[in-house]
Amino acid sequence: MQKLVMKFGGTSVGNAERIRRAARIIKEHGTRETAVVVSAMGGVTDSLVEIANKVAQGAPEEEIKKFVGDVREKHIATIKGAVSKPHQEIALIEIERLCTELEKVLTGVSYVGELTPRSLDYIMSFGERLSAPILSEALNSMGAKSKWYTGFEAGIVTDSSFGRASPIWSETNKKVLKVLKPRMKDSIPVVTGFIAGDAHGRITTLSRGGSDYTAAILGAVLNVDEIWIWTDVDGILTTDPMLVAEARTIDVLSYIEAMELAYFGAKVLHPKTIEPAMERGIPVRVRNTFNVENQGTLIVRKQRETGDIVKAISVLKNAVLLTISGAGMIGVPGVAARVFSALAAQKVNILMISQGSSEVNISIVIEKSDLEKAIKTIKEEFAGKNVVKDVQYNKNVAVIAVVGAGMQGTKGVAARVFTAVANAGVNVLMIAQGSSEVNISFVVLEKDAKSAAKALHDEFIVRK
Ligand code: ADP
Ligand code: ASP
Ligand code: MG
């Protein structure tokens, strides 16, 4: 029998009607062994992050009560619309239990007045812990047999990098096979995406958007036939549809192409999703909950020869361009290496690197959330030595990546890319060094990102 992992994103479980729709989709494929991964209802994780920050800065108790009240109401209304009796009662009890716990946690943070990455993960975990019982009981209401699990209960064990945890594969393999696999035979497990636990059982998260990654982790361990990511667009599109209205669905992509797109900002897939799937050669399908007829995008190892040079253009916002400079860097070997290893030790994710031939400066692109940590790390690394003089940054940049396996060995692509961008009046701030052969990536001011993406989409996709 075919085995599947299906993941439903926040919009796809955004209200009662959508949860029923998701449950129907799951049930329709019930002839196969299926494990389901679910995100928090749309907007819930954002609201948890927001209240956590407010509470740490001293928001009054009434605000906590009001917030938890709203969360409770939203989920209860969803249960009433998506789950029938007697299953309603089970889901309602769970929601009540979780809301009481959430109020306690938020109150705790307000007393301490500090939000650690560990407490933030704990607070963010409520989004998925609230949605999973609802989807699971909606399935039970439809006559399917289902149980819900947290990612940790399902067997995903991570390191303790709160906010950006990675699975410990040996443990995860053992536990998922022991816990989840046997249960798939006669029921449909619904697992919370995004959250897991470390070796001490403390709740961790896989970084924002990480439910896709949960699906891929489970899919790889269970060695399923396919991993399906159900979302709110028809698949992976030629560019972000929010930026360029003409974006269209791509039928087939290779793992590498999809990985590059996800890494450089195509939000439809969490950047780490492809890795476990690729390792095991499991096809990933991205499909639209609101348009089930559409086959979506299939991601496999070997891309079909389409003759397309460029398949898609991605845009990554919330990036920062850091420039590290100092005349003392000239001729001093290993400055770049020291910068990178110091940043890596602090788990700062480096998206791009470039060093001018003059050696007077090194430019790197990182995520905005890592800015403070990165500057502190670099300053400490070179403290007291006359090597690095200055660390400057520009917080308002975006990375544009042009992706397509057809670029390999095709002459003149870079010239076409930068001519199109220049003709759109956009200034390029930095070009990556040593990028993979299937992408050309560069940095522009965030305000120019849309014009650049549109110009490239016109050049390579619309006109070809
Ligand atoms: P989910 O909640 O299902 O995980 P996300 O909001 O995380 O969904 O990702 C889907 C969204 O990603 C789309 O609605 C779209 O706005 C955005 N997106 C950005 N780039 C792309 C792209 N190249 N293809 C498809 N969607 C994209
Ligand atoms: N709910 C989490 C987030 O909003 C994870 C996800 O949706 O994939 O980041
Ligand atoms: Mg997502």
Side-chain angles (χ1 to χ4, degrees):
M1 191 165 28
Q2 242 205 337
K3 269 197 283 188
L4 290 179
V5 167
M6 286 196 212
K7 174 258 172 178
F8 291 84
T11 318
S12 303
V13 293
N15 59 35
E17 188 266 320
R18 292 175 182 185
I19 288 190
R20 274 188 273 120
R21 183 196 297 266
R24 270 198 305 276
I25 293 175
I26 298 164
K27 219 187 143 204
E28 269 164 31
H29 297 93
T31 51
R32 323 182 199 199
E33 276 183 34
T34 306
V36 172
V37 173
V38 68
S39 289
M41 293 177 73
V44 172
T45 313
D46 282 342
S47 73
L48 287 164
V49 174
E50 195 188 326
I51 190 75
N53 282 301
K54 275 194 191 159
V55 164
Q57 282 155 25
E61 211 179 307
E62 302 82 72
E63 202 163 332
I64 298 180
K65 286 211 180 319
K66 159 106 183 44
F67 176 82
V68 176
D70 290 349
V71 167
R72 181 186 281 116
E73 207 174 294
K74 180 185 174 85
H75 289 84
I76 289 178
T78 309
I79 293 173
K80 297 213 162 132
V83 182
S84 59
K85 290 177 180 157
H87 307 284
Q88 260 192 17
E89 198 55 31
I90 302 169
L92 287 171
I93 290 171
E94 183 64 6
I95 274 30
E96 199 44 55
R97 191 184 72 75
L98 287 166
C99 286
T100 308
E101 186 183 333
L102 175 60
E103 190 170 326
K104 281 191 193 153
V105 181
L106 289 173
T107 309
V109 169
S110 87
Y111 277 121
V112 184
E114 188 195 8
L115 184 64
T116 61
R118 179 179 164 192
S119 2
L120 181 60
D121 273 6
Y122 186 12
I123 292 169
M124 285 196 291
S125 78
F126 283 88
E128 273 73 9
R129 286 160 74 202
L130 285 160
S131 65
I134 306 182
L135 180 58
S136 179
E137 292 307 333
L139 275 164
N140 281 320
S141 304
M142 289 181 187
K145 209 173 135 206
S146 171
K147 270 197 81 170
W148 75 86
Y149 304 85
T150 66
F152 184 61
E153 286 165 350
I156 304 177
V157 184
T158 67
D159 57 22
S160 307
S161 302
F162 296 102
R164 197 183 281 173
S166 301
I168 300 171
W169 284 103
S170 53
E171 285 294 299
T172 300
N173 259 303
K174 253 197 313 220
K175 289 205 167 144
V176 170
L177 291 177
K178 192 166 149 222
V179 179
L180 213 57
K181 193 161 181 246
R183 309 231 156 108
M184 284 169 71
K185 290 251 174 288
D186 61 349
S187 72
I188 305 171
V190 173
V191 181
T192 61
F194 178 53
I195 62 176
D198 70 3
H200 308 283
R202 299 177 299 190
I203 293 177
T204 55
T205 68
L206 306 174
S207 85
R208 294 301 308 273
S211 296
D212 303 327
Y213 190 32
T214 304
I217 294 169
L218 294 180
V221 175
L222 295 164
N223 199 14
V224 293
D225 297 286
E226 291 192 3
I227 296 163
W228 290 6
I229 306 290
W230 288 96
T231 184
D232 57 3
V233 282
D234 274 343
I236 298 191
L237 309 187
T238 47
T239 191
D240 184 346
M242 305 276 229
L243 289 181
V244 182
E246 294 88 350
R248 42 177 107 133
T249 314
I250 304 168
D251 293 339
V252 188
L253 274 176
S254 69
Y255 288 131
I256 305 291
E257 289 170 325
M259 212 143 93
E260 295 284 359
L261 284 172
Y263 185 74
F264 286 110
K267 190 187 166 214
V268 62
L269 276 187
H270 183 273
K272 287 185 177 170
T273 313
I274 296 298
E275 209 178 285
M278 185 162 89
E279 197 123 302
R280 287 236 160 174
I282 302 170
V284 178
R285 242 178 240 281
V286 182
R287 300 186 62 176
N288 190 348
T289 338
F290 305 102
N291 185 13
V292 288
E293 302 304 321
N294 194 300
Q295 287 308 299
T297 302
L298 176 65
I299 306 162
V300 285
R301 196 178 302 282
K302 275 234 171 308
Q303 71 275 350
R304 223 177 25 199
E305 289 292 331
T306 56
D308 291 337
I309 299 171
V310 169
K311 289 234 182 86
I313 293 112
S314 66
V315 176
L316 185 133
K317 293 190 174 161
N318 292 319
V320 180
L321 178 60
L322 270 185
T323 307
I324 304 156
S325 55
M329 282 160 57
I330 301 175
V332 177
V335 176
R338 275 174 61 194
V339 169
F340 305 139
S341 48
L343 291 177
Q346 295 303 317
K347 296 214 177 328
V348 173
N349 190 17
I350 301 173
L351 297 160
M352 287 167 73
I353 302 163
S354 158
Q355 182 166 28
S357 53
S358 67
E359 291 188 33
V360 189
N361 58 54
I362 298 169
S363 300
I364 57 174
V365 180
I366 57 170
E367 289 163 38
K368 209 176 266 178
S369 53
D370 283 335
L371 178 60
E372 267 176 47
K373 194 157 69 172
I375 292 181
K376 186 165 169 273
T377 305
I378 296 166
K379 289 200 165 147
E380 277 172 12
E381 176 68 25
F382 294 99
K385 301 179 192 94
N386 216 6
V387 181
V388 170
K389 269 256 155 12
D390 200 10
V391 183
Q392 285 175 327
Y393 59 86
N394 186 337
K395 280 210 277 193
N396 303 308
V397 301
V399 180
I400 312 274
V402 178
V403 174
M407 296 194 314
Q408 273 167 298
T410 308
K411 289 205 183 84
V413 184
R416 270 177 77 189
V417 167
F418 294 112
T419 305
V421 172
N423 287 344
V426 173
N427 190 22
V428 173
L429 304 176
M430 167 188 162
I431 301 173
Q433 222 171 37
S435 58
S436 93
E437 290 166 290
V438 305
N439 102 56
I440 294 174
S441 45
F442 58 94
V443 179
V444 298
L445 287 177
E446 198 163 283
K447 71 170 179 52
D448 289 335
K450 185 175 172 167
S451 323
K454 170 93 173 73
L456 291 164
H457 196 265
D458 280 347
E459 172 71 20
F460 288 102
I461 313 282
V462 178
R463 284 201 299 270
K464 272 201 186 155

